[in-house]
Amino acid sequence: MGWIYLTVKGQSFDNASNMSGRYNGLQAHLKQKKTLIHYVPCAAHSLNLVGVNSIEGSSLEVGQYFDLLQSLYTFCAGSTHRWERVFRNSDIHIDLTLKSLSNTRWSCRADSTKALWQNYVKIREALESIAEDETEKRDTRSEARTLAVKLNKLETAFMANFWNTILARFQLTSLQLQKADIDLMTAVRLLKSLRDFVLAQRGLFTDFEREALAVPGVCQTYKYDLQRTRKRKRFEDDSAEKDAVFDGKSKFQIETFNVAIDKLVSCLSHRIDAYKHLCDLFGVLFMLENTPDCELINKANSLASAYPADLDSNLGNELIHFRAFIRSDGQNVPPPKCLKTILDCGLQSTFPNVYIAIRLYLTLPVTNCEGERSFSQMARIKNELRTKMTQRRLNSLSLMAIESELVRDMNFDDLIKDFSSKKARKKPTF
């Protein structure tokens, strides 16, 4: 669920169609009431969707890898005995454990992939031990053997290494995007740098393969090389040229590795484009000292025309003056520091338009989630509490849960004294 700033200059929601829809979403209806309420897609939710879409639209091998991760967790968590045997065995002690996969919390995929890759041999040996233990149930032994066979494949080790590298950067970027003090330009630069990082992995196929081949016990041959080559039925009007035949390495690189990279880059580019308009609008605040004055004034006029009730045509000249005042060596100064300088030096009357423009920029919401949670208060509010109290009190408690930060800062001493005086049943003694 999203929220709106009290300044009514920006709105940020997740990417659900009922909230972000261009025509009938909540953000569209709000913009009909006031055109200056710019919509900013939640950066953290957008990054989560990049991961979801990249898996759904990628190759079969990628989907099978994450299915294997979930199967491993389901098997181990099926009983405390199996969990202890895989992760807490005296001979095989593993600090990192698998997590159940979730589309709404992608951190679990990063944690599971990291746990699998760093303890690949130990987990596989634990599964093989269970498969060979005659005291275990037949279904348990069969399932353990199936999972161990999958871990023996070169493709599985390759995917664990590759996704551990990718998801580690996704996870750290997501945590940064969830911070309350993140600003728009920083968020966009983070997404662009993440896209460049993913794109750079395209040339590292040999490195990922070498590390996967170095895992003890992993098959040294791709699955495709072990299969019988299928011949396509040829017709009389077909070309006489022979079909291109790829080996297992080339086929895996072209149809799985490159597809996964391209899908991630494409999804990240699509999400970054959603911020292009606002970045172009407020980019004038980040222009370097060597930027021509005429270009700065044109950009400033565009920003002033977008907020005619807040800014005027003097913004360009103020920015030229302010740029010389605050910047040195051609380096950009972060907007929070610019705002702090104006306030500390009492320059609001000297640079009124710059002061307002920076406040408008910093007011724009970038993300509407600060931390990923594994539980929700709605389950208690909708089910447990509804059966125990009236709707009026339930609404009040819901409001207190939503505004928890304000509630924590409140002083309840007077309220407690008033409540105790009304509810006291013991007569005072004199």
Side-chain angles (χ1 to χ4, degrees), residues 294-364:
C294 58
E295 181 180 352
L296 187 145
I297 291 177
N298 291 334
K299 292 285 187 179
N301 290 337
S302 299
L303 179 59
S305 62
Y307 293 93
D310 303 298
L311 304 172
D312 56 41
S313 58
N314 293 321
L315 175 61
N317 293 327
E318 285 186 20
L319 279 172
I320 296 174
H321 184 186
F322 184 73
R323 182 175 61 178
F325 172 80
I326 195 146
R327 293 175 181 170
S328 60
D329 300 328
Q331 299 295 321
N332 277 354
V333 179
K337 186 176 180 180
C338 292
L339 182 63
K340 186 176 184 302
T341 301
I342 292 176
L343 293 174
D344 292 344
C345 298
L347 302 175
Q348 296 92 321
S349 59
T350 307
F351 305 107
N353 285 284
V354 175
Y355 175 60
I356 295 174
I358 295 176
R359 289 178 59 193
L360 286 172
Y361 168 76
L362 294 176
T363 301
L364 289 174

Side-chain angles (χ1 to χ4, degrees), residues 53-71:
N53 294 336
S54 63
I55 288 180
E56 292 180 351
S58 193
S59 64
L60 182 63
E61 286 284 351
V62 174
Q64 289 177 346
Y65 167 73
F66 286 103
D67 290 342
L68 173 61
L69 271 184
Q70 182 62 38
S71 299

Side-chain angles (χ1 to χ4, degrees), residues 2 14 25 86 88 91 138 146 150 160 162 218 243 246 251 264 270 285 287 291 299 328 339 342 394 398-399:
D14 58 23
V86 174
R88 298 292 180 262
D91 298 328
R138 182 175 58 86
T146 301
K150 291 182 179 179
F162 167 69
V218 168
D243 296 333
F246 297 102
K251 184 177 178 62
L264 284 169
H270 176 70
L285 302 177
M287 286 186 170
T291 304
K299 292 285 187 179
S328 60
L339 182 63
I342 292 176
L394 183 63
S398 301
L399 183 60

Side-chain angles (χ1 to χ4, degrees), residues 6 13 33 73 101 113 116 183 198 200 208 210 230 235 241 248 264 292 312 336 362 371 397 409:
L6 296 177
F13 307 113
K33 300 293 183 180
Y73 171 80
L101 305 190
T113 299
L116 176 61
D183 63 88
V198 173
F208 287 120
R210 183 176 62 254
R230 295 182 180 181
F235 298 92
E241 297 181 1
L264 284 169
D312 56 41
L362 294 176
L397 288 175
D409 296 335

Side-chain angles (χ1 to χ4, degrees), residues 379-424:
R380 298 186 67 244
I381 292 175
K382 287 185 175 180
N383 300 315
E384 179 184 348
L385 298 181
R386 177 174 291 178
T387 60
K388 298 180 181 179
M389 61 187 67
T390 60
Q391 188 65 35
R392 181 179 178 182
R393 187 182 179 192
L394 183 63
N395 291 339
S396 300
L397 288 175
S398 301
L399 183 60
M400 291 175 64
I402 295 171
E403 302 294 346
S404 58
E405 294 183 0
L406 296 177
V407 174
R408 292 192 190 99
D409 296 335
M410 293 176 62
N411 188 353
F412 294 96
D413 293 341
D414 295 337
L415 182 62
I416 294 173
K417 291 179 180 179
D418 183 56
F419 180 81
S420 60
S421 64
K422 292 181 179 180
K423 296 297 181 179

